[in-house]
Amino acid sequence: MTLFSVRNVRKTYRVGTVETHALRGVNLEVSRGEFTAIAGPSGSGKSTLLHLMGVLDRPSDGAVVLAGERIDRLPRAAAARLRLARLGFVFQAYNLIPVMTALENAAFVLELQGVPRREREARAREALGLLGMDGLEGRMPNQLSGGQQQRVAVARAIASGPDIVLADEPTANLDSATGQALIDLMRRLNEEQGVTFVFSTHDPRLLSHVRRTVRLEDGRVVDDEHADAGQGDA
Amino acid sequence: MTTLAWRNLGRHTRRSVVTAGAVGIVVYLSLLYFGLGGAAVNSLYQRLTDTSGHVQVRQEGWRDATRFDATLLKDTEALRETVSGASAQHMERPVVVGVLNAPALLSGAERSRGVSLTGQDWPEVMVDRRLEGGTLSGEFLSGRGGIVLGAGLAEALDVAIGDDVWAYAPGGSGFGAGVFTLVGTVDLPDQATELATAWVGLDDLQEMVAPDAVQRLEIHGVNLTRLDKDVVSDALAAELQGTLENLQVATWRVLNPSTVRLLSTIDPMLFAVSVLFFVLAGLLVLNTVYLSVMERIHEFGVIHALGAGDRKVLGMVALESMFLAGLGTAVGSAAGLATVAGLSDGFRIPSLESYYASFGLTPVWYPSLEPHQVAFAVGFAFLTAILAALWPAWVASRLEPIEAMRFHV
């Protein structure tokens, strides 16, 4: 069942008289339960695509549809509400709040949603447990390694039970082994908990564990490969 | 977000302490200022009531009377009893004093001067109050035939303690003249008062100008030294007026309208100066909160990206400012209230007493605070915090997530 639809989306940035075409008519459909990587070199439009899907930016043209509802033209407040209620985010730079513990960071989205303290702590604890962070809930971010911080960030993204988790280069600041381990964890969450993941990466070594790889070049989809099918659509 | 707002204060502890400290100092100074303003008001109040009494009983129409005897209260024994009885119902230590004033020509051996001669039957406690801030040379009146003059007046008459002073006061129903012995002189801070001070015993002056009569009965609440505690004068005056229909009963407020108007301007002036203090503190709070926001633009971008609405972010920044103000206010209020409470039993600064006296103030000051002044200081501290946070909070709330997340200090 299609969860996300990106229809002929274009994004053009204008700085003075200079135009940069970040996306040039991208079409993409993501179904519930998918574990999809968006791959491509730097400047291919991966982050831009994720920002549009995450309602963090608006396309210059085209449409973004979530569960049948068009979301690319939402007003600011409505976009924020949508992100809070239905989307999870993992950023390249972890972006944990430095004055909050791992547990509090993991529970942060739940707190924004107004979930009562006991319940949000329980759900955050559970999410951290799924990511192998048992016993580290009370640590501050500066007491955690990069890999551990990113796992807390993933826990934050999944604790609220979003429709989809959008991860923008989640392993870029990690060494390859740690990055691989993170992808494996996310994969396990996808398989065991049914969490839908779409993440971007420019590291081809991480693509062996994903079920679907969408390749971008110069703002266009050049390949869309399902690992099960073995062949993809350009 | 409350926890986050609180913990954000600890990111730059020194800056938070300085800012909260500034708010605390302003709150402390405001309360101290109000307290000392209250002390000045109480001092003026005490001076006024020492001079005029808290309540006065006079002959009806005394202000417009053209004849001296039309101002007199005669055969006052029963009246005194009535007044004393009523006073005791309202005041803790009422003192009822009879006072007679008569214009007279005082003369020494070679010089003379026109004065308003005062005949009174002050008890010791009232004498002490009258002499507060001044210096008595010789002794006060005890028994008949004595006179106490202001030191300046004695000098003007060229008389010394032990000399005779002649008094000539025609027009009344008494002898119209008398000779007194100068038993004491009073050195007062206020020169004008000193030159006008001429006290004799009530009996002596009655014999000279108005046998068995006084011009007024003054009721003094000896323990009433603070304006905010004076809730009895009006009630006593109302009761006495109801009983003494043919006489005029007036409170110190009615007798001193211009000073009462002056007293009523003190509070607004204190508030105005206090507002200025708070504006200055508010600028410091604004600076701190704005810096704090600028340093966390990236983080605010993340918070927006995760789905926090603009109002939530605005509320968080405002809450941080309120915490800063709250900390400072708590400490400043505690210190301010403690200081005023500690001084409220009275304090004096000997080196400034003559300066106070030149303004008609007592040498001992009794600071006091009204509830609305404390509420103002606390409330305005928080209002300042909110106003100071408005702009940085609005900036933080309107950040675009993507652009903000690209920002690094």
Side-chain angles (χ1 to χ4, degrees), chain B residues 8-66:
Chain B
N8 282 334
L9 299 185
R11 294 203 200 206
H12 287 278
T13 311
R14 184 157 49 181
R15 195 165 67 201
S16 296
V17 166
V18 167
T19 304
V23 173
I25 286 172
V26 168
V27 171
Y28 172 78
L29 287 178
S30 292
L31 291 176
L32 186 63
Y33 195 53
F34 287 142
L36 292 177
V41 166
N42 290 335
S43 178
L44 269 174
Y45 162 78
Q46 194 181 320
R47 265 284 180 258
L48 274 180
T49 52
D50 284 348
T51 307
S52 68
H54 288 82
V55 178
Q56 274 188 12
V57 178
R58 282 189 180 251
Q59 191 59 256
E60 194 165 31
W62 64 276
R63 281 190 201 274
D64 302 320
T66 53

Side-chain angles (χ1 to χ4, degrees), chain A residues 2-13:
Chain A
T2 301
L3 177 63
F4 241 113
S5 249
V6 177
R7 298 173 187 164
N8 200 28
V9 151
R10 296 175 191 278
K11 181 66 183 180
T12 303
Y13 296 102

Side-chain angles (χ1 to χ4, degrees), chain A residues 76 83 95 98-99 104 111, chain B residues 1 7 298 304 310 397 399:
Chain A
R76 187 183 162 92
R83 287 197 300 273
N95 287 332
V99 295
E104 288 165 341
E111 186 180 351
Chain B
M1 298 296 261
R7 289 201 197 154
H298 178 91
H304 276 294
D310 292 356
S397 73
L399 290 169

Side-chain angles (χ1 to χ4, degrees), chain B residues 97-109:
Chain B
V97 171
V99 180
L100 182 63
N101 284 109
L105 183 70
L106 289 186
S107 184

Side-chain angles (χ1 to χ4, degrees), chain A residues 92-129:
Chain A
Q92 176 179 330
Y94 329 137
N95 287 332
L96 300 182
I97 296 173
V99 295
M100 296 174 95
T101 63
L103 182 67
E104 288 165 341
N105 268 289
F108 188 66
V109 173
L110 294 166
E111 186 180 351
L112 291 177
Q113 290 176 341
V115 174
R117 188 194 186 99
R118 230 176 248 183
E119 184 187 338
R120 69 174 185 255
E121 281 186 0
R123 286 167 64 176
R125 219 177 280 277
E126 186 186 341
L128 286 171

